[in-house]
Amino acid sequence: MKSRFEKEYSGDSKVTFCTFHSLFYSIIRDFKSENFSIISQKEKLNILKTVLMDMNLDVSRLDFNEILDEISKVKNLDLNLDEYVSKSIDFDKFKQMFELYKEETKARNLIDYDDFVIMADKLFNKYPDFLDKWTDKYSYCLIDEFQDINYKQYEMVKRLFKGKGVFAVGDEDQSIYAFRGSSSDICLKFKKDFNADVFKLETNYRSTKRIVKAGMNLISFNSLRFDKSIVPVKDAQEGEFKLKSFDSYKDEYELIIKEAKESLNKGKSVAILLRTNNIQDSLQYCLLKYKVPYITEKTNVQIKNNEVIEDFLTYFKIAAGENTYSNLLKIANKPNRYISRNFLSECRLNERYDDDRYSYVNLFECSRRKKYLAVNIFKLERYLKQLSKLDSFEALIYIMNVIGYDKYLFEKGIKYETKYEELKSIAREFTNKEDFIDYFELIKNENAETNEEKENDGVNKIRICTIHASKGREWDEVYIPDVNEGNMPHKKAFGKEETEEERRLFYVAMTRAKEKLWVCYVDDIKRNLKPSIFVKELKT
């Protein structure tokens, strides 16, 4: 913006182009001479992890980014720690963590972006002459993306520019950063606080008629907004908007990927927008199964070098008929059965056929001099035969609790709870053991290109990202899956205000589409998967 302005209006410019953070940083620098460093995201995560571990909390079960968002929210909204109820950790633990985190960053002479506005505000309160210096600095102010402003920033805008020419550009229907302290209510307050005129930009240049109509139908259920009627420039183009119901996640993603693949081949830009940064296992499976090029910020499961996943897969493979010595060696002593590598080598030489497959008859024959070994092999055979009769979910539990794999993990000091829960979730989708194995083999063999390499290889790809990351972007076709209660709106959204925030988020996702929009959901009462309230609203 700065370069474009200077190109248009050559010569020395008295216009300052900056973000809120850089403005407040300039204010602090103008007053303070001591050195301090801006904390990086990596440093934040490291300090937080250290603090939580010092508090003896189980960090494997905590979402660090979610906790950092809550820390930011407390700062930006100036919330009382004695009253704040965290969604991440217990009330008392959050307060203790917040104080320890603040002390640690201060000890390292680090400040984050949220601290800028707090420090600038304190300087203005303590030194009125310093405030006067800055209020005299500017006569006019233009604020873009006004819907993203938080209350602390808004209070500073009023201090610096009240009574001056302020032009705010924003869309309260796209205010989606409540976790950072922003609120659509600020857009409404601006009109009153600055005695402002409101100019409604009601022309949509992006989307076709049906998509615009669906978006307006949804967002009209919100109360904290200006009433407006959006009219598409592409009014003559109907476009495509569909609400689609499925019996399972697998069916949902099968159809989405097949449809998206056809569109990619036609040169269309395609996006799949997710509520959170976790890719459904069924989605990743379908992408790899149908060899559809895609790019995303994150994959859900890291299998390489993960011993727990590899061991479960090996048990599954043997139960599915891959009874090879290579597989048997991997799990022979998980838990310990005193089956040595030398013993299996001896058995291998004694087999009739040279194809690496073992037979229980031969294993018993080789162990006849060691009764305890024969007993253990007999038990293993019985376990694996029973395992072959179970579906994926039952098999996981059987391996862990009946075969005794949990004892092996405990003895080795391997933390497995989080990964085990992930595996059970995947097993619910891929109930057939062969499908379960196939899914992980596809993940394991996926090309390990970086996102940058994928972006620049010239191949048209599906973009998979969160709705928050999609803001400000657009695609020819957009697919929004899993529009179910508990996901959208999110299960942590309570009350009218948070539901309206979730509706705005969903509205942002819908309005990324130019020509085609699918809103998809799973309807399965047995698994307690219900269509979102937003689906019901779109049907009205």
Side-chain angles (χ1 to χ4, degrees):
M1 187 182 290
K2 182 179 180 181
S3 61
R4 286 163 58 193
F5 180 87
E6 290 177 345
K7 184 178 179 181
E8 185 75 21
Y9 304 97
S10 57
D12 293 335
S13 170
K14 295 182 179 180
V15 179
T16 300
F17 293 86
C18 63
T19 63
F20 278 123
H21 291 130
S22 61
L23 173 63
F24 302 142
Y25 184 71
S26 297
I27 292 170
I28 297 166
R29 279 294 189 194
D30 186 36
F31 186 88
K32 291 176 172 285
S33 59
E34 68 262 29
N35 291 321
F36 52 80
S37 300
I38 301 172
I39 191 170
S40 67
Q41 185 67 14
K42 185 177 181 180
E43 286 174 315
K44 282 185 182 182
L45 291 168
N46 287 337
I47 291 174
L48 180 61
K49 185 175 181 179
T50 301
V51 167
L52 292 170
M53 290 178 70
D54 288 345
M55 291 171 61
N56 295 318
L57 294 178
D58 183 1
V59 295
S60 66
R61 294 181 175 274
L62 297 174
D63 186 330
F64 293 163
N65 287 313
E66 188 175 77
I67 295 173
L68 287 175
D69 284 341
E70 289 200 88
I71 291 173
S72 179
K73 185 176 182 179
V74 169
K75 287 183 177 182
N76 284 311
L77 295 180
D78 200 18
L79 299 177
N80 187 341
L81 274 176
D82 292 326
E83 298 175 358
Y84 181 73
V85 178
S86 168
K87 295 179 181 179
S88 306
I89 54 181
D90 292 341
F91 174 80
D92 291 333
K93 295 291 185 183
F94 182 86
K95 182 178 179 181
Q96 181 186 359
M97 175 277 301
F98 186 92
E99 296 295 348
L100 290 172
Y101 176 83
K102 190 166 70 172
E103 289 174 10
E104 185 61 30
T105 52
K106 186 176 181 180
R108 301 188 190 190
N109 205 26
L110 296 170
I111 63 172
D112 65 19
Y113 291 114
D114 299 322
D115 295 322
F116 291 173
V117 63
I118 296 170
M119 293 173 70
D121 187 49
K122 287 180 177 178
L123 287 172
F124 285 163
N125 288 335
K126 192 172 182 179
Y127 303 101
D129 290 343
F130 185 61
L131 171 61
D132 291 340
K133 174 185 175 181
W134 275 86
T135 54
D136 291 340
K137 190 176 179 68
Y138 302 110
S139 301
Y140 302 96
C141 176
L142 165 64
I143 307 172
D144 195 15
E145 300 289 354
F146 189 73
Q147 74 278 349
D148 296 337
I149 195 172
N150 63 46
Y151 280 104
K152 279 280 188 184
Q153 293 167 345
Y154 183 55
E155 289 303 314
M156 287 292 280
V157 168
K158 288 197 292 184
R159 297 188 77 169
L160 288 168
F161 305 110
K162 194 69 180 283
K164 299 183 179 183
V166 181
F167 192 95
V169 183
D171 180 2
E172 80 286 355
D173 287 335
Q174 296 190 53
S175 177
I176 59 173
Y177 297 112
F179 61 88
R180 296 179 189 164
S182 67
S183 171
S184 62
D185 190 42
I186 297 176
C187 291
L188 307 183
K189 287 178 180 294
F190 178 83
K191 182 178 183 297
K192 180 181 177 182
D193 292 341
F194 285 85
N195 191 28
D197 294 321
V198 177
F199 299 91
K200 297 179 183 179
L201 306 178
E202 297 181 303
T203 304
N204 181 295
Y205 294 90
R206 173 183 296 149
S207 307
T208 48
K209 186 176 180 179
R210 287 180 179 172
I211 296 170
V212 171
K213 183 180 178 181
M216 291 309 298
N217 184 29
L218 175 89
I219 202 63
S220 66
F221 284 88
N222 272 10
S223 59
L224 291 173
R225 60 188 298 269
F226 292 110
D227 185 37
K228 58 180 93 69
S229 180
I230 304 298
V231 179
V233 166
K234 302 175 182 178
D235 190 50
Q237 301 177 40
E238 291 288 327
E240 181 179 328
F241 168 69
K242 286 185 178 180
L243 281 168
K244 299 193 70 72
S245 174
F246 297 88
D247 295 328
S248 70
Y249 288 128
K250 191 174 180 182
D251 291 343
E252 177 187 33
Y253 284 114
E254 284 267 357
L255 185 58
I256 288 175
I257 295 307
K258 287 179 181 177
E259 189 80 9
K261 186 176 183 179
E262 288 183 17
S263 298
L264 284 183
N265 293 336
K266 295 175 183 176
K268 299 291 186 181
S269 58
V270 180
I272 298 175
L273 304 184
L274 309 177
R275 173 61 184 85
T276 65
N277 203 20
N278 286 324
I279 302 175
Q280 277 281 5
D281 308 295
S282 303
L283 168 57
Q284 197 163 14
Y285 175 75
C286 290
L287 286 164
L288 298 173
K289 179 181 178 181
Y290 294 108
K291 296 181 173 59
V292 180
Y294 70 98
I295 185 165
T296 184
E297 285 78 17
K298 181 180 178 182
T299 55
N300 211 26
V301 179
Q302 299 297 324
I303 182 173
K304 293 180 179 179
N305 302 319
N306 190 295
E307 181 183 345
V308 175
I309 295 177
E310 290 285 4
D311 288 344
F312 276 115
L313 286 177
T314 302
Y315 268 111
F316 275 37
K317 288 176 182 178
I318 295 174
E322 294 184 34
N323 54 318
T324 64
Y325 277 100
S326 301
N327 284 333
L328 181 59
L329 181 61
K330 292 177 183 177
I331 54 89
N333 293 299
K334 296 178 180 180
N336 192 9
R337 301 182 180 95
Y338 304 100
I339 301 175
S340 69
R341 181 182 292 271
N342 289 337
F343 170 74
L344 290 179
S345 297
E346 178 188 334
C347 294
R348 176 72 184 81
L349 293 171
N350 202 47
E351 291 288 352
R352 290 181 60 189
Y353 302 103
D354 186 26
D355 62 355
D356 193 39
R357 299 179 71 83
Y358 69 82
S359 65
Y360 288 108
V361 172
N362 183 51
L363 293 176
F364 287 133
E365 178 67 23
C366 292
S367 65
R368 65 185 184 276
R369 296 177 183 176
K370 298 178 180 178
K371 187 176 180 180
Y372 73 89
L373 195 52
V375 170
N376 288 343
I377 291 172
F378 174 76
K379 286 181 179 178
L380 179 60
E381 179 187 21
R382 187 177 61 185
Y383 286 145
L384 291 171
K385 283 184 177 179
Q386 179 61 33
L387 194 64
S388 66
K389 302 174 185 178
L390 305 176
D391 66 28
S392 299
F393 185 79
E394 295 167 337
L396 284 173
I397 297 172
Y398 188 81
I399 293 167
M400 187 67 82
N401 298 331
V402 179
I403 293 179
Y405 186 63
D406 58 340
K407 296 177 182 176
Y408 162 78
L409 294 173
F410 178 77
E411 290 170 358
K412 292 291 184 179
I414 299 173
K415 291 186 176 181
Y416 62 89
E417 290 85 356
T418 302
K419 188 59 62 182
Y420 183 47
E421 290 303 317
E422 286 181 21
L423 290 174
K424 287 197 290 185
S425 175
I426 295 169
R428 289 188 181 97
E429 281 302 304
F430 302 100
T431 54
N432 183 288
K433 288 194 290 295
E434 284 78 5
D435 288 343
F436 187 92
I437 295 167
D438 188 32
Y439 165 72
F440 279 101
E441 289 301 319
L442 284 170
I443 297 292
K444 187 161 47 174
N445 295 328
E446 185 180 9
N447 192 334
E449 287 182 296
T450 65
N451 272 353
E452 186 176 356
E453 289 171 334
K454 288 184 178 182
E455 288 274 21
N456 298 321
D457 65 5
V459 177
N460 193 17
K461 296 177 177 65
I462 296 175
R463 165 67 69 169
I464 302 173
C465 65
T466 64
I467 300 172
H468 281 102
S470 76
K471 191 165 177 286
R473 302 159 81 176
E474 62 183 30
W475 294 270
D476 295 326
E477 300 184 4
V478 169
Y479 300 85
I480 312 173
D482 312 331
V483 186
N484 288 82
E485 289 296 319
N487 183 52
M488 203 177 301
H490 196 271
K491 61 186 177 183
K492 293 185 178 180
F494 301 103
K496 179 183 175 183
E497 189 174 330
E498 289 181 317
T499 300
E500 291 208 357
E501 168 89 1
E502 290 288 309
R503 191 177 286 108
R504 289 192 296 271
L505 186 63
F506 188 42
Y507 172 74
V508 166
M510 293 176 66
T511 54
R512 301 308 94 197
K514 295 197 286 185
E515 302 169 4
K516 179 177 177 180
L517 172 64
W518 279 19
V519 172
C520 307
Y521 58 94
V522 178
D523 197 349
D524 185 351
I525 296 175
K526 292 180 180 178
R527 296 177 62 182
N528 197 31
L529 292 170
K530 303 174 185 177
S532 165
I533 184 176
F534 302 149
V535 170
K536 298 173 185 175
E537 292 170 356
L538 286 168
K539 288 181 177 180
T540 58

